[in-house]
Amino acid sequence: MLLIDRTFSKFQTEVISLFLGLVVGSIPSFIREANDEKPFQKSSTLFAILGFVFAFSLILFSILSSGTQVGEPREMTPLLAMFCGAVVMFGVVTPGVSTSFIIMNMNAYESFLSVFAHFFDDPGHNIVFVGCAALGLLIVAVPMLLLTRTMLRRFHRQSFYFLFGILLSTLVGCIIQEVMRNSGGISALKLIIIILLFAAGVACSYFMEKAMKKIELRKEEEQQLTEAE
């Protein structure tokens, strides 16, 4: 955890570029899952737009109400820690949503991660934030599990495209914030590294999906052989 915290602090743009690649590389499989029950319909675009507008409005509100400059970490508070915990649970139970990107768009990723990375530096102080984060997890857990299960079962395609809109908004939000944070310009070497890390993330997602498909096919074949016997 400490290593991740230090890496993110020193190489934030590079880490985000890798994360972007990982998420972008997973989009094709996410769309296939959305269209699993029915083929693509024009109305699906509307749900994606609604998801994008909903999430991007929250991102803008979070940035404007934070009182900090874009890219500057927000000071951790018990309420913010609780909200981050709720976001983590939201990402756990909701397919395709990147918890990291949501917290990054809140300018709280570094502060939230630091609570756990430097917990023993000031345990009496950090235990409050950890407790609030755990409370946020618990508050969101049951209702989100029930809501997600119901929505995905009854409105599979619509729910996935709404979540796809949320996913796109978090990507755009991170890109905008990183562009503004690096408004002074970046070196050619850093730009090349960013591009390579993004490409590596996309490739990693692609090969992971291929590997998962092979595992699933192998299990299906083994199950068929077992039934045939």
Side-chain angles (χ1 to χ4, degrees), residues 10-49:
K10 293 182 179 180
F11 307 104
Q12 179 174 327
T13 303
E14 291 84 349
V15 171
I16 289 177
S17 298
L18 179 61
F19 283 0
L20 282 170
L22 289 168
V23 175
V24 170
S26 68
I27 287 177
S29 61
F30 187 82
I31 296 298
R32 281 195 293 272
E33 177 65 25
N35 297 323
D36 184 44
E37 295 184 354
K38 293 181 180 179
F40 175 79
Q41 298 178 4
K42 291 182 179 180
S43 60
S44 301
T45 306
L46 175 61
F47 290 100
I49 293 172

Side-chain angles (χ1 to χ4, degrees), residues 106-211:
M106 294 162 50
N107 286 335
Y109 189 83
E110 188 173 349
S111 302
F112 188 59
L113 188 63
S114 181
V115 169
F116 299 92
H118 302 282
F119 179 81
F120 292 105
D121 294 344
D122 189 1
H125 181 66
N126 288 327
I127 191 65
V128 175
F129 299 132
V130 173
C132 288
L135 182 60
L137 284 168
L138 293 174
I139 290 173
V140 172
V142 175
M144 276 306 304
L145 282 169
L146 294 175
L147 178 63
T148 302
R149 183 180 299 174
T150 301
M151 294 300 293
L152 290 178
R153 184 177 67 250
R154 298 183 62 181
F155 307 102
H156 180 86
R157 178 177 51 82
Q158 296 91 331
S159 298
F160 264 87
Y161 273 97
F162 186 82
L163 293 173
F164 179 62
I166 294 177
L167 175 63
L168 288 181
S169 70
T170 58
L171 294 179
V172 172
C174 276
I175 292 171
I176 290 174
Q177 292 196 58
E178 282 306 302
V179 169
M180 294 179 69
R181 201 173 69 85
N182 292 282
S183 58
I186 58 176
S187 65
L189 177 60
K190 186 174 182 178
L191 180 61
I192 292 171
I193 292 173
I194 289 171
I195 294 172
L196 289 175
L197 286 171
F198 176 81
V202 173
C204 186
S205 284
Y206 174 79
F207 287 114
M208 284 176 64
E209 183 190 355
K210 289 290 186 183

